[in-house]
Amino acid sequence: MSQADTDHVETPARSAEPDAPDQPKKEGRGLWARLRGAVPPRIAAMLVGALLLQLGFVLSYVGAFHHPQPHRIPIAVAAPERMAPDAVEKLNGIPGHPLKATATDEATARERLRTGEISGVLIVKPGSRTDTLLTAGAGGASTASALETVIEKAEKTQKRTASVVDAFPAQAGDARGLSSFYLVVGWTVGGYLLAALLGVSLGARPATARGAGRRLLAAVPYAVLSGLGGAAIVGLFVLAP
């Protein structure tokens, strides 16, 4: 074989060398394909949705409680007829509108406070420099505290003071008035867990209407036991003497 023939045979081997750097790209594409195979697009979308729901839940609570501001807290003003309109106007005119004041008689105001229609009652005493503010701790300690702060500032501008009375305090075992809130949160979380377990065990979507009915029937005893159990726990720790 001549030297020219030898060169001709070796040429293809040398020409293949520039393609070597493309190997990592092929491996990268293979890794991405394996990841897509392990997590189908539908599951990935559900995971993203769950993450967004979780972050939205955190944002809603952090945004609401990191620096809360009172806004249009309903309050009744019990004052003599000649003084009531002026008192209501001044309370509603506070910058930021922390209060929503209306005028009424004391008996009606106390009843509205008891039923939770309003959050406080300001009883104006013409012959004294001290008024009385009735709050309802059972309706939430944070609202009562915010109302007390706003009224104290408003009274100072009129060179008056307010004596605070918790007319309807919270139960002895529920000092902050949050037991009902956490009870509802527990029920909600339990419902989500039940739905997730049914989806994992029976599939995300029932194949027939009869299958959907069986799922609903399975949820009934869980809902009953969840409601009774939560109520029993609250009654044991909050309502018990």
Side-chain angles (χ1 to χ4, degrees):
M1 181 180 290
S2 65
Q3 183 65 33
D5 294 336
T6 304
D7 293 342
H8 179 72
V9 172
E10 293 176 350
T11 300
R14 290 195 299 269
S15 64
E17 292 179 357
D19 294 335
D22 292 340
Q23 188 66 23
K25 295 181 180 179
K26 294 180 180 179
E27 292 179 356
R29 288 195 295 269
L31 177 62
W32 175 246
R34 287 195 296 271
L35 288 175
R36 291 186 60 185
V39 183
R42 181 181 178 184
I43 300 300
M46 293 175 63
L47 293 176
V48 172
L51 177 61
L52 293 177
L53 181 63
Q54 173 189 338
L55 296 179
F57 186 83
V58 174
L59 177 62
S60 65
Y61 277 88
V62 173
F65 293 113
H66 83 287
H67 187 56
Q69 294 291 334
H71 182 68
R72 298 183 67 83
I73 299 176
I75 181 175
V77 177
E81 187 175 351
R82 59 183 177 83
M83 300 178 62
D86 183 61
V88 169
E89 182 180 358
K90 289 180 178 178
L91 291 177
N92 288 333
I94 297 176
H97 305 288
L99 302 178
K100 182 181 179 181
T102 56
T104 185
D105 61 274
E106 183 175 342
T108 302
R110 286 179 178 271
E111 178 61 19
R112 293 175 64 191
L113 181 63
R114 185 189 68 82
T115 59
E117 184 179 347
I118 57 177
S119 299
V121 178
L122 180 62
I123 303 175
V124 180
K125 300 178 180 179
S128 172
R129 305 296 298 180
T130 302
D131 300 326
T132 300
L133 173 64
L134 304 180
T135 62
S142 58
T143 300
S145 178
L147 182 59
E148 180 179 346
T149 300
V150 173
I151 291 298
E152 285 180 352
K153 291 181 179 179
E155 291 283 274
K156 285 182 179 180
T157 62
Q158 304 298 317
K159 297 181 179 181
R160 301 176 66 86
T161 59
S163 175
V164 181
V165 177
D166 191 350
F168 302 98
Q171 295 286 340
D174 188 23
R176 301 293 297 176
L178 294 175
S179 294
S180 58
F181 169 78
Y182 287 114
L183 174 61
V184 173
V185 170
W187 281 335
T188 304
V189 172
Y192 277 120
L193 293 176
L194 173 64
L197 291 174
L198 290 176
V200 170
S201 60
L202 302 177
R205 183 184 304 173
T208 62
R210 181 176 296 179
R214 285 197 296 265
R215 294 193 186 194
L216 289 176
L217 289 176
V220 170
Y222 180 91
V224 172
L225 293 176
S226 174
L228 294 177
I233 291 174
V234 171
L236 178 63
F237 289 99
V238 177
L239 301 181

